[in-house]
Amino acid sequence: MTPRWRVVLVGVLALLVGYALPGLTKSVLGELWVSASGLCHTGLPGVGLVCQPARDLAGLAVPLTGLGILVLSIAGIWAAALWCLRPVRDLAGPIAQVGPQNLGHRLRPRGNDELARLARSIDAMMERIAAGYEGQRRFAANASHELRTPLAVQRTLIEVGMARSLTGEQLELLTGQLLETNERNERLIEGLLALSESDQGLRSRTPQRLDEIVTGVLAAYQDRIAEAGVTVQSHLEPRMVMGERVLLERLVTNLVENAIKYNRPGGTLTVAVGRSPALTVVNTGQVVPAEAVAGLFEPFRRLARDRTNHSGGAGLGLAIARSITQAHDGLIAARPAEYGGLRVDVQLPTAP
């Protein structure tokens, strides 16, 4: 029986008892008193010893009866409440057993009453918690793998240098490789810190000119753009957004840097600022399969399967961009560009 019907049944019984009990009690007490008073007029020996105290207590009959009814009512209400709440108590038991070791446990209720809807909401919440827990576990595993790879390379290079004497040219090559590996570690740690900071949300929100931020980032990357042989096409309209300038600069920087890094020589980088979307970055790199686009926003996810070959990237650029966009109550989406490469659109709320 559902909690709703239990409460209805208890309420109906309470109404019936409340309606019938006073009259029934009065009738029973009246019958008893009539019978007892009849005995008092028989003149039997010793009857006076009983009848006189009974007459004295007759005035207390109603208060004592009321007290008894009150005690019985409290006991009945307590028992009825326990009976009505028993389904909730039965539901609390399985929930109390849920932990990191069994996040896959689900209640899977039947019916459509309030308790069943609550159980389904708990199951949906457990789905979200399990997804977040699995994402954290996968992120920690990937981060460990990403850190282990360059550390193993460094160890190998050091062991090679210690095993034999090196010429000047070999020593220069060895130290260059060590420096490159160390720089990659620094970029990875910096990316992890940036991702953690953006996941914590914004400390403050102030009006920012997005078009000016994009202009500054493009100016800072002029040398990189020239080295890559990429042509920049910019269409920047004045646009105000609410947020933190440092994080918005990091958002634009990551998108521009990815568009340069994964572009082709002689390719094009198109950056636009408008009303909807607020920011668009398009490059003309390798063809991106449509089914692989969503995974690019996951940490350490790249198109190339080889973890050691990713043009110096840590695989966190788009993950950080997504986290920053979400912190600004925005939406980021990507799709394959028309002539190869990737198109990234960022929707951001307009500043009042």
Side-chain angles (χ1 to χ4, degrees):
M1 185 179 294
T2 64
R4 182 192 306 172
W5 285 110
R6 289 176 182 243
V7 172
V8 170
L9 180 59
V10 168
V12 171
L13 291 177
L15 289 175
L16 293 175
V17 171
Y19 177 78
L21 186 60
L24 182 62
T25 303
K26 185 176 181 180
S27 175
V28 171
L29 289 176
E31 292 284 343
L32 291 175
W33 179 247
V34 169
S35 301
S37 61
L39 292 175
C40 292
H41 294 88
T42 58
L44 295 173
V47 171
L49 297 176
V50 178
C51 290
Q52 186 58 40
R55 292 190 184 94
D56 295 337
L57 292 174
L60 299 176
V62 174
L64 290 176
T65 302
L67 180 62
I69 292 174
L70 178 63
V71 173
L72 291 177
S73 299
I74 293 175
I77 291 172
W78 182 263
L82 292 177
W83 183 67
C84 290
L85 294 176
R86 182 175 179 179
V88 179
R89 188 169 63 251
D90 295 340
L91 180 65
I95 296 175
Q97 303 300 321
V98 175
Q101 72 282 357
N102 56 355
L103 288 176
H105 177 73
R106 299 293 179 269
L107 300 173
R108 294 183 176 86
R110 298 178 180 177
N112 197 35
D113 59 282
E114 289 79 2
L115 198 63
R117 289 198 290 270
L118 173 62
R120 277 191 283 272
S121 298
I122 293 175
D123 282 349
M125 179 188 68
M126 291 302 301
E127 292 286 351
R128 295 190 296 270
I129 292 176
Y133 188 85
E134 176 62 21
Q136 290 184 349
R137 186 198 65 78
R138 188 169 57 249
F139 178 82
N142 289 336
S144 300
H145 192 288
E146 293 287 334
L147 288 169
R148 187 185 303 118
T149 300
L151 290 176
V153 172
Q154 287 179 328
R155 181 183 180 88
T156 301
L157 292 173
I158 293 172
E159 289 177 347
V160 169
M162 295 177 62
R164 58 179 181 175
S165 58
L166 302 176
T167 63
E169 183 179 351
Q170 291 173 332
L171 183 60
E172 183 178 356
L173 178 61
L174 177 63
T175 54
Q177 291 175 333
L178 284 172
L179 182 60
E180 182 181 350
T181 307
N182 186 69
E183 289 175 349
R184 177 176 178 261
N185 281 343
E186 290 180 354
R187 288 193 298 271
L188 175 59
I189 295 172
E190 180 185 355
L192 291 173
L193 291 175
L195 183 60
S196 175
E197 182 180 357
S198 58
D199 283 341
Q200 294 174 6
L202 303 183
R203 298 187 182 92
S204 63
R205 293 177 184 267
T206 56
Q208 304 290 341
R209 283 282 299 271
L210 184 60
D211 55 304
E212 293 180 355
I213 293 175
V214 172
T215 300
V217 171
L218 290 177
Y221 273 81
Q222 282 301 316
D223 294 340
R224 290 278 300 276
I225 292 171
E227 291 176 3
V230 174
T231 302
V232 176
Q233 297 178 355
S234 59
H235 310 280
L236 310 180
E237 299 178 7
R239 177 66 193 275
M240 295 290 294
V241 297
M242 296 294 293
E244 286 190 18
R245 188 175 185 87
V246 174
L247 290 181
L248 289 173
E249 287 177 348
R250 184 60 184 259
L251 167 64
V252 177
T253 298
N254 282 10
L255 296 181
V256 170
E257 186 174 321
N258 271 10
I260 297 172
K261 184 187 305 177
Y262 299 107
N263 214 318
R264 56 178 173 78
T268 303
L269 166 61
T270 304
V271 183
V273 173
R275 181 164 185 83
S276 182
L279 174 65
T280 299
V281 179
V282 186
N283 73 338
T284 53
Q286 62 175 313
V287 176
V288 180
E291 63 275 10
V293 171
L296 295 178
F297 287 96
E298 296 298 324
F300 310 110
R301 191 71 64 87
R302 311 179 188 89
L303 285 179
R305 295 186 177 275
D306 184 6
R307 289 179 178 267
T308 63
N309 182 20
H310 41 73
S311 304
L316 293 171
L318 291 180
I320 295 172
R322 180 181 62 178
S323 180
I324 294 174
T325 304
Q326 291 174 346
H328 286 80
D329 301 326
L331 179 66
I332 187 170
R335 65 177 186 268
E338 185 176 0
Y339 301 106
L342 193 69
R343 175 191 175 107
V344 181
D345 294 320
V346 179
Q347 303 278 359
L348 293 172
T350 303

